[in-house]
Amino acid sequence: VYGDVLRVKILYNKKDGALVQMAEPHQAHLAMLHLDKVRLYGKYIRVMQSKYQTVQLPKEGQPDSGLTKDYTSSPLHRFKKPGSKNYQNIYPPSSTLHLSNIPTTLSEDFLKTAFENNSFAVKDFKFFPKDRKMALIQMESLEDAVAALIKMHNYRLSEQNHLRVSFSKSNIQPDTLTPN
């Protein structure tokens, strides 16, 4: 959500550590700013600048044990278009997530059930009043929201639609909803 990940290398001698190469330096800065010391899967993650400028891919024929992945041509990149509107919607982690790319035929119950079937307790949900292709969903905790974003972004909703998930600047209000 803070930039396009190009490569990831899990460290061979420190499997709870990894190098993550972002497409642009400012994207790496945003990831450090917003994700350092965030609780995920019961642990606080540390995000800091590496002394390495790039993540090296293993040389042809060299064993890697699947620890290095190249995402350079991933279809999931949010920022590949210059001036993408996604740059205007970058927010710190929060327990409320912004959902978009929702087919107008889907119900609140369908979306809540999709999250619940993936082990996420939904605290609240609200479609945008003027655009049912977007909604806010509130999770029980910040940690749950981070895990839900990881698991549910690109979740297949229909033949043509995959859910887009990001952190929201807004909370769910009983009667009013300010768009992201």
Side-chain angles (χ1 to χ4, degrees):
V1 297
Y2 298 115
D4 294 334
V5 173
L6 298 183
R7 294 180 180 165
V8 176
K9 181 181 199 79
I10 297 171
L11 302 177
Y12 185 79
N13 292 324
K14 193 175 183 319
K15 299 277 192 288
D16 65 345
L19 298 173
V20 179
Q21 181 181 338
M22 306 297 285
E24 302 285 337
H26 70 276
Q27 294 174 353
H29 176 75
L30 285 169
M32 288 186 295
L33 178 72
H34 292 301
L35 296 176
D36 188 39
K37 300 182 183 109
V38 166
R39 193 171 165 89
L40 178 63
Y41 306 128
K43 294 182 177 181
Y44 290 94
I45 60 173
R46 295 301 324 258
V47 184
M48 61 197 85
Q49 190 164 348
S50 171
K51 64 182 179 181
Y52 302 104
Q53 294 300 305
T54 59
V55 171
Q56 294 297 317
L57 292 173
K59 291 181 176 49
E60 196 68 38
Q62 290 258 315
D64 179 55
S65 309
L67 298 177
T68 307
K69 298 275 187 208
D70 187 355
Y71 297 101
T72 306
S73 52
S74 170
L76 299 181
H77 288 170
R78 299 177 190 229
F79 304 96
K80 58 185 165 211
K81 292 183 190 137
S84 166
K85 66 178 180 177
N86 290 320
Y87 279 113
Q88 299 161 22
N89 294 307
I90 294 175
Y91 301 106
S94 71
S95 62
T96 304
L97 299 173
H98 179 269
L99 310 180
S100 61
N101 202 35
I102 303 167
T104 53
T105 54
L106 293 188
S107 68
E108 176 178 332
D109 282 343
F110 178 93
L111 290 161
K112 286 166 69 173
T113 301
F115 277 79
E116 289 161 353
N117 286 347
N118 281 281
S119 305
F120 301 111
V122 176
K123 191 172 175 184
D124 205 355
F125 180 97
K126 191 160 190 159
F127 277 111
F128 277 51
K130 294 184 173 112
D131 187 356
R132 285 184 57 93
K133 292 179 185 171
M134 294 190 288
L136 294 182
I137 191 165
Q138 187 174 357
M139 311 315 294
E140 290 289 328
S141 68
L142 177 67
E143 183 176 3
D144 286 350
V146 174
L149 185 147
I150 292 167
K151 178 90 175 184
M152 299 302 290
H153 179 68
N154 206 43
Y155 179 86
R156 188 176 183 169
L157 296 172
S158 71
E159 196 69 37
Q160 298 86 13
N161 295 80
H162 289 76
L163 188 63
R164 294 182 52 83
V165 183
S166 56
F167 295 116
S168 175
K169 69 174 178 184
S170 308
N171 289 318
I172 297 177
Q173 304 299 323
D175 294 314
T176 58
L177 186 63
T178 51
N180 265 16

